[in-house]
Amino acid sequence: MIYQTFSPKQIQAMLWWAMPKFRQYDAIICDGSVRSGKTMAMSIGYLLWSMRSFDHETFAFCGKTIDSLKRNVVTPIQKWMAGVMQPKINLSKNYMDVEWRGHHNRYYFFGGKDESSYALIQGITLAGVLLDEVALMPRSFVDQATARCSVTGSKIWMNCNPAGPHHFIREEYLTEEAMKQKKVYHLHFTMDDNFSISPKRKEEYKNAWPHGSVFYKRFILGKWVAAD
């Protein structure tokens, strides 16, 4: 893992929990444009935080589906953490074990694709959860996943591309009142926060949607806007 390629925003997303001015927060939400490096930074930070802070505890990685989670997080994480820690992944049973600096923790994989998915995570006790592309998950699943974090010191990690302005994630986690009440730390990303993308590739993404369209505003500018 080559830390010098990370942007200041990515480093902040990874290490906020270790910074004195941010330690009071119970959750972090990173939103913004596509290809901005949110998932990579949060996945690395989530593992570093959980392995530094806990021993023999249970955590969860959640995606829209198990397949998308394995594709976007679980498989790449072996490369992202190379030289630091080596997760032992059991793809058939949907979990991985990590040993690092004398600590051992287990991470289960869950998919939150519809309203019935909350039952999959119901009952488990967690010390933390990472919800990748949380805006694509139903409220019932998100509520159940966050409610499972009952271990002292647990934290909630979320990332997403924006949806409409009245989406429950924005209204219940990202308003000024909600962030204060739930102790949420919010980081907004753009493609400029991902140093691994070339200027040419950025232009290709920007030209993928008509400028001024709702998709351009959401996926490129990272704004929570409604469809025309």
Side-chain angles (χ1 to χ4, degrees):
M1 185 168 56
I2 306 173
Y3 282 96
Q4 59 263 34
T5 63
F6 293 142
S7 68
K9 189 70 68 68
Q10 288 177 312
I11 292 173
Q12 199 166 355
M14 283 190 283
L15 301 178
W16 64 279
W17 50 272
M19 301 175 183
K21 64 184 294 186
F22 301 123
R23 285 177 181 167
Q24 75 272 22
Y25 292 105
D26 293 331
I28 180 172
I29 298 181
C30 294
D31 67 354
S33 69
V34 298
R35 308 309 302 166
S36 57
K38 303 183 297 295
T39 295
M40 178 179 66
M42 292 200 81
S43 299
I44 293 170
Y46 180 61
L47 277 181
L48 292 175
W49 161 74
S50 55
M51 293 304 299
R52 282 279 299 272
S53 305
F54 297 92
D55 184 29
H56 287 88
E57 290 290 355
T58 301
F59 298 83
F61 279 95
C62 303
K64 172 68 174 177
T65 65
I66 289 288
D67 287 341
S68 66
L69 180 69
K70 289 178 179 178
R71 180 179 63 250
N72 299 333
V73 179
V74 177
T75 298
I77 213 167
Q78 299 173 86
K79 178 181 178 181
W80 296 339
M81 300 308 297
V84 179
M85 59 182 76
Q86 186 59 52
K88 296 179 181 178
I89 301 173
N90 190 323
L91 292 177
S92 63
K93 295 185 178 180
N94 294 324
Y95 71 80
M96 70 181 184
D97 290 323
V98 182
E99 293 185 23
W100 188 58
R101 295 186 176 182
H103 288 196
H104 176 277
N105 293 305
R106 175 162 289 184
Y107 302 79
Y108 285 98
F109 310 145
F110 295 96
K113 64 179 180 179
D114 53 37
E115 290 293 343
S116 66
S117 298
Y118 80 92
L120 300 174
I121 200 169
Q122 191 172 16
I124 193 172
T125 298
L126 301 172
V129 61
L130 186 150
L131 297 127
D132 183 56
E133 295 297 348
V134 66
L136 300 179
M137 301 173 190
R139 183 200 306 263
S140 58
F141 180 82
V142 175
D143 287 347
Q144 189 64 230
T146 56
R148 298 297 92 210
C149 295
S150 57
V151 175
T152 300
S154 63
K155 294 186 185 296
I156 297 161
W157 299 59
M158 301 181 182
N159 71 69
C160 63
N161 302 127
H166 301 297
H167 193 284
F168 78 93
I169 290 294
R170 183 178 184 276
E171 292 192 332
E172 297 183 16
Y173 287 91
L174 292 176
T175 65
E176 184 176 350
E177 181 180 355
M179 287 193 292
K180 182 177 180 180
Q181 180 181 5
K182 295 184 177 182
K183 297 182 180 179
V184 174
Y185 178 42
H186 176 216
L187 279 175
H188 180 76
F189 279 71
T190 69
M191 279 190 282
D192 290 333
D193 294 309
N194 187 352
F195 289 173
S196 67
I197 296 185
S198 67
K200 180 178 181 296
R201 192 69 177 120
K202 289 179 185 179
E203 286 304 311
E204 291 174 351
Y205 278 114
K206 291 177 181 178
N207 292 328
W209 296 280
H211 289 215
S213 69
V214 64
F215 299 108
Y216 184 87
K217 292 176 181 177
R218 289 182 185 177
F219 299 145
I220 301 302
L221 301 182
K223 294 184 177 181
W224 295 80
V225 294
D228 294 335

